[in-house]
């Protein structure tokens, strides 16, 4: 991968992780969610790159994904338990997303198996609210693996169908966001915009995204579009309750990435590359550790 493009993608990861960290600390809602959508688009792009360039077999892919997830998810679960046990008594009225400690074994099992949000499940991983997106992402990894690596088309269709059925509607509702990243990777392999068109594309999509923040689009989509669907079906989408807007947001992020890839294609180096790479390597940990640590700091500091 072009070093400049790689540095740009690292910078996006740092921006997304920072938005989640400070968003939770300051009580933001929409921007941290948009940052998760950006993570999904980046994940789809990077997983496609990894599968095309590095993980030549399904077993390599599975081992690398499991190792990557486990080394961060397990410490995040342990941290969540420890912080919850310590922080819970310090909150006069508790905290709305504390998981019941009397069901610790069940909660740990659900968190470890990434089944917190399949179908009707809605189990927070203790007080670690951002963990929901990891469970989504793991199912996207699984779906990609069982569709990309088998040679038989019948096997691809059967295994992919099973994965979709198992993940359920909530997780599947944001799958197009992740697949947007996959599509971006394959598009840029065969076509990249010119530098001038790339600047126009990146600038326009960024301007549209900033303009969208002026209006309460998340609340409108959740209440006026997905809300009636939930009432009609009796199904709650929870973190996917604005998924049509999330599809649009993912499309803007993907188009912005494609534009920047065109801009940077002829560039060999960007300033701050080494710094971006260092922080990018920690974004997964920052993302999953931020919520428990924010609650710990909030409990310790004066109101």
């Amino acid at each position: 991968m072009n070093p400049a493009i790689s540095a740009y993608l690292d910078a996006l990861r740092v921006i997304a992780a920072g938005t989640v960290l400070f968003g939770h600390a300051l009580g933001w809602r929409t921007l941290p969610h948009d940052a998760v959508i950006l993570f999904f688009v980046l994940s789809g792009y990077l997983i496609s790159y990894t599968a095309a360039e590095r993980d030549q077999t399904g077993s390599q892919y599975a081992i690398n994904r499991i190792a990557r997830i486990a080394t961060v998810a397990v410490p995040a679960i342990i941290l969540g338990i420890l912080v919850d046990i310590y922080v819970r008594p310090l909150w006069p009225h508790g905290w709305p997303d504390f998981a019941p400690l009397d069901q610790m074994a069940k909660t740990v099992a659900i968190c470890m198996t990434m089944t917190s949000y399949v179908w009707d499940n809605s189990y927070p991983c203790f007080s670690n609210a951002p963990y929901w997106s990891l469970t989504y992402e793991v199912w996207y990894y699984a779906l990609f693996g069982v569709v990309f690596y088998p040679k038989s088309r019948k096997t691809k269709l059967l295994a992919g169908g099973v994965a979709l059925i198992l993940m359920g509607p909530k997780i599947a509702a944001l799958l197009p966001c992740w697949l947007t990243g996959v599509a971006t990777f394959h598009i840029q392999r065969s076509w990249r915009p010119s530098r001038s068109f790339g600047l126009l594309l990146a600038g326009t999509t960024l301007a549209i995204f900033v303009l969208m923040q002026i209006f309460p689009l998340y609340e409108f989509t959740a209440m006026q579009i997905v809300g009636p669907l939930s009432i009609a079906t009796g199904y709650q989408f929870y973190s996917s309750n604005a998924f049509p807007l999330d599809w649009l947001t993912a499309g803007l992020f993907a188009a912005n990435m494609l534009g920047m890839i065109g801009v940077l294609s002829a560039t060999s180096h960007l300033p701050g590359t080494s710094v971006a790479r260092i922080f990018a390597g920690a974004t997964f940990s920052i993302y999953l550790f931020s919520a428990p640590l924010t609650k710990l700091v909030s409990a310790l500091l004066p109101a």
Side-chain angles (χ1 to χ4, degrees):
M1 184 183 293
N2 180 313
I5 294 175
S6 178
Y8 161 71
L9 296 176
D10 285 340
L12 284 183
R13 291 165 62 190
V14 173
I15 291 170
T19 302
V20 171
L21 172 62
F22 290 104
H24 283 113
L26 299 175
W28 299 343
R29 180 177 181 181
T30 303
L31 276 178
H33 183 80
D34 288 342
V36 173
I37 301 304
L38 175 55
F39 267 126
F40 283 162
V41 176
L42 283 168
S43 174
Y45 182 95
L46 294 172
I47 287 297
S48 298
Y49 168 78
T50 300
E53 303 294 336
R54 298 178 184 174
D55 297 335
Q56 300 300 312
T57 65
S59 58
Q60 285 181 323
Y61 174 82
I63 291 170
N64 289 336
R65 298 287 72 72
I66 291 171
R68 173 65 172 156
I69 295 297
T71 53
V72 181
V74 172
I77 293 171
I78 295 173
L79 176 64
I81 294 172
L82 295 177
V83 170
D84 277 19
I85 291 173
Y86 178 74
V87 169
R88 188 182 302 252
L90 302 180
W91 290 98
H93 305 292
W95 190 272
D97 58 359
F98 277 143
L101 292 179
D102 59 347
Q103 299 180 21
M104 185 180 295
K106 176 183 178 181
T107 304
V108 170
I110 290 173
C111 294
M112 289 291 293
T113 56
M114 303 296 168
T115 54
S116 302
Y117 296 96
V118 298
W119 285 92
D120 291 329
N121 281 2
S122 181
Y123 291 101
C125 190
F126 300 98
S127 64
N128 197 339
Y131 199 91
W132 73 266
S133 61
L134 178 64
T135 65
Y136 278 49
E137 198 165 350
V138 167
W139 281 99
Y140 302 155
Y141 289 168
L143 176 64
F144 181 89
V146 299
V147 170
F148 182 82
Y149 286 98
K151 296 181 180 180
S152 167
R153 183 179 180 183
K154 182 178 180 180
T155 302
K156 291 176 183 285
L157 292 173
L158 179 60
V162 170
L164 282 171
I165 292 172
L166 289 176
M167 71 175 66
K170 284 196 296 291
I171 300 177
L174 294 188
L175 175 61
C177 300
W178 197 85
L179 291 177
T180 301
V182 176
T184 302
F185 172 77
H186 289 286
I187 290 172
Q188 59 91 41
R189 294 185 83 185
S190 57
W191 175 79
R192 292 184 179 182
S194 65
R195 182 180 177 84
S196 57
F197 182 67
L199 280 171
L200 176 64
L201 185 60
T204 302
T205 51
L206 179 60
I208 293 172
F209 175 74
V210 172
L211 184 63
M212 287 169 58
Q213 306 310 305
I214 301 174
F215 305 98
L217 297 179
Y218 185 92
E219 291 77 7
F220 176 82
T221 306
M223 296 177 63
Q224 302 300 325
I225 299 177
V226 181
L229 176 62
S230 293
I231 293 172
T233 61
Y235 186 81
Q236 298 299 316
F237 285 87
Y238 296 102
S239 296
S240 306
N241 65 352
F243 65 84
L245 178 63
D246 294 333
W247 294 353
L248 173 60
T249 303
L252 289 173
F253 287 149
N256 185 274
M257 286 172 55
L258 192 60
M260 288 302 298
I261 288 171
V263 171
L264 297 172
S265 292
T267 304
S268 59
H269 179 74
L270 285 179
T273 296
S274 58
V275 175
R277 184 176 296 114
I278 292 172
F279 281 101
T283 53
F284 205 7
S285 299
I286 292 171
Y287 179 74
L288 283 182
F289 298 164
S290 62
L293 293 178
T294 298
K295 288 181 173 63
L296 177 61
V297 172
S298 299
L300 295 176
L301 291 179

